[in-house]
Amino acid sequence: MLLTLTATATDGVPDASDLGYLLHKHPDRVQTFELSVGTATVLYPESTRARCTAALLLDVDPIELARSKFRRGSDGFALGQYVNDRPYAGSSMLAVALSRVFKSALAGVCKTHPELVDAAMPLQITIPAMPARGGADLPGRLFGPLGWDVTSIPLPLDETIPRWGDADYVRLELAGTTTLSAALRHLYVLLPVLDDVKHYWVGEDEADKLVRVAGEWLAGHPETGLIASRYLAHRRELVSSVVDRLTDDVAGQDADAPAPDTSLAQLRQDAVLTTLENLGAARVVDLGCGEGRLLRALLARPSFTRIVGVDVSDRALRKAESRLGVDELPDGQRDRVAVLQSSATYRDARLRGFDAVVLMEVVEHVDESRLPALVQSVFGDMRPRVVLVTTPNAEYNVLYPNLEAGAFRHPDHRFEYTRTQFESWAADGAATHGYDVSFTGIGEHDETHGAPTQMAVFTRKEGS
């Protein structure tokens, strides 16, 4: 597979051959690098002051390819290890080759010419054959918002049989003015997204890497959910974690839109804390606590004497413990807080006898068919005096410019209720289990669409 990168001289970078300094590869040499997937070769077809082109050629090892169980992803077939596009079309293997061969350039390091690192230069990138699983317009949707002029030319399935139409491949050409480091980061993240196949195991390290490499631009990208989902091999728990970390204060995602001075995430947390204190709740369960943002706020207020965070994800709980600094807390503080691995849809005797249970932005992550089990677990088995539930108001979504019509705010959301739907669901649960319920909006209120977040406050009836 082949990728070429061409720099053109400009006032800021008058000598295009300085590209060799940034890439740490001399234009007069042909260099080869042994990688786990094969051999990478770097050479320069042209190198002048006016124009300089570096080519990366990746020759995939067919034996290693056959050994890899990730060679075809979910669409694999019996002969997939022998008949596939891996040696010929761009993929996650090409992205890995970029990161290995141009490691310093990707990181934005050039000790000999540091002034070049932040210099934007006209760049042209060409990949003759690139999978575009999602249509020929997908490269434009991915690279266009990052400032690239994108040319995506569909490749025919068979040039000799036109009636067969186009294959899922394009000739990809990018043109734009940016730093070399930014260009390589865009390629590193988005090439596997176009291909929608990762040739290696995707775990928590990949989620951290995505935030580290793409954090500057991914949160505001209109295809954030698609990029995170494909880059992380559609692993929901990793995607959810990354999107939450990236969009804590960005409009149009799970953290919703920030008000002028305070994000909606903070307004939501403040509303929950104030309601708990007004209702005199001292022993609180944060059900679906994630990485512990609310737990930390609860711990900071002495009125909450017992705090328990619950989540199905062990990774999230470890993050919560780290955020709380559990190991460094004084004994009195440490005794106030605990984290438990459990599910909102299963009965757990450890969660009975508390004053309040909070489900902050949780119910929309549960399959609707499982909501009755959640209601029975919380209201029927735990039976706290107070239950607080916050969830997005689907009617407000039209006010987010980056959110497509009918799309959810978060890739892991299974549904999003309108105000009428939420009030109906909450009223049914309250009537069945002996609770009163009231509703309020959180965030800037729109006259037509309401507030971005809706909260239901359930209080158990006396004698119920």
Side-chain angles (χ1 to χ4, degrees), residues 72-390:
R72 287 293 299 170
S74 60
D75 63 342
F77 56 98
L79 296 179
Q81 60 183 331
Y82 306 108
V83 182
N84 57 66
D85 61 357
R86 302 294 88 181
Y88 315 109
S91 68
S92 61
M93 287 184 281
L94 182 58
V96 169
L98 282 170
S99 70
R100 297 288 190 272
V101 175
F102 301 137
K103 182 177 180 180
S104 296
L106 185 73
V109 175
C110 184
K111 293 182 179 179
T112 59
H113 292 72
E115 73 280 0
L116 296 175
V117 171
D118 295 324
M121 62 182 73
L123 296 173
Q124 293 176 296
I125 298 167
T126 301
I127 303 176
M130 185 70 218
R133 308 189 197 280
D137 68 326
L138 182 59
R141 289 161 47 202
L142 296 179
F143 286 98
L146 300 177
W148 293 99
D149 291 328
V150 183
T151 302
S152 178
I153 304 172
L155 300 179
L157 193 61
D158 190 321
E159 292 180 353
T160 64
I161 311 177
R163 69 176 182 274
W164 283 4
D166 295 329
D168 290 333
Y169 301 86
V170 298
R171 175 182 173 86
L172 179 61
E173 299 175 359
L174 306 174
T177 300
T178 185
T179 64
L180 179 64
S181 175
L184 293 176
R185 286 169 180 252
H186 296 165
L187 291 169
Y188 180 74
V189 172
L190 296 180
L191 293 187
V193 173
L194 278 169
D195 187 27
D196 199 17
V197 175
K198 278 273 181 115
H199 71 280
Y200 56 88
W201 172 251
V202 173
E204 294 175 10
D205 289 347
E206 283 298 292
D208 294 337
K209 188 187 303 179
L210 179 59
V211 173
R212 185 172 65 253
V213 174
E216 293 180 0
W217 53 267
L218 184 54
H221 197 289
E223 299 287 353
T224 299
L226 174 70
I227 293 169
S229 182
R230 287 190 170 197
Y231 185 88
L232 297 171
H234 303 277
R235 293 190 58 188
R236 283 179 174 174
E237 74 282 5
L238 297 180
V239 174
S240 178
S241 172
V242 164
V243 173
D244 286 342
R245 289 157 66 184
L246 287 173
T247 62
D248 194 33
D249 296 321
V250 178
Q253 302 295 338
D254 192 45
D256 309 302
D261 299 309
T262 308
S263 73
L264 180 59
Q266 186 63 50
L267 292 174
R268 187 164 50 225
Q269 178 177 286
D270 291 345
V272 167
L273 292 169
T274 299
T275 303
L276 290 172
E277 289 185 326
N278 289 343
L279 294 174
R283 297 166 51 83
V284 179
V285 174
D286 182 8
L287 195 54
C289 66
E291 297 180 2
R293 179 171 181 167
L294 178 62
L295 295 178
R296 186 170 63 179
L298 289 166
L299 188 62
R301 303 195 180 198
S303 59
F304 300 110
T305 59
R306 180 61 176 164
I307 304 157
V308 175
V310 178
D311 206 283
V312 295
S313 169
D314 180 69
R315 176 183 178 277
L317 293 176
R318 302 290 76 78
K319 292 273 189 179
E321 287 183 328
S322 175
R323 172 171 276 178
L324 293 168
V326 171
D327 293 337
E328 291 145 13
L329 288 174
D331 291 344
Q333 290 283 78
R334 191 184 302 119
D335 291 342
R336 289 175 58 210
V337 64
V339 296
L340 303 174
Q341 189 170 23
S342 190
S343 169
T345 59
Y346 293 101
R347 298 180 182 184
D348 190 330
R350 298 173 297 176
L351 305 180
R352 296 171 185 159
F354 284 81
D355 297 329
V357 170
V358 177
L359 295 101
M360 191 167 72
E361 307 300 283
V362 170
V363 295
E364 63 273 11
H365 292 270
V366 178
D367 289 325
E368 282 194 274
S369 62
R370 298 291 297 157
L371 283 182
L374 180 147
V375 170
Q376 180 60 38
S377 172
V378 173
F379 295 93
D381 189 62
M382 300 180 200
R383 290 202 62 73
R385 180 167 55 84
V386 173
V387 178
L388 303 186
V389 179
T390 75

Side-chain angles (χ1 to χ4, degrees), residues 62-78:
I63 296 177
E64 183 60 32
L65 181 68
R67 288 174 177 164
S68 173
K69 67 180 180 178
F70 300 105
R71 59 189 173 272
R72 287 293 299 170
S74 60
D75 63 342
F77 56 98

Side-chain angles (χ1 to χ4, degrees), residues 369-439:
S369 62
R370 298 291 297 157
L371 283 182
L374 180 147
V375 170
Q376 180 60 38
S377 172
V378 173
F379 295 93
D381 189 62
M382 300 180 200
R383 290 202 62 73
R385 180 167 55 84
V386 173
V387 178
L388 303 186
V389 179
T390 75
T391 193
N393 168 21
E395 297 165 69
Y396 198 88
N397 289 352
V398 297
L399 300 180
Y400 292 127
N402 292 332
L403 201 62
E404 294 183 6
F408 295 152
R409 299 185 200 177
H410 191 293
D412 191 52
H413 285 185
R414 314 305 168 83
F415 62 89
E416 288 179 359
Y417 278 150
T418 64
R419 286 171 290 176
T420 299
Q421 290 170 329
F422 182 55
E423 290 173 10
S424 176
W425 172 79
D428 287 345
T432 301
H433 295 281
Y435 282 78
D436 291 318
V437 61
S438 60
F439 302 94

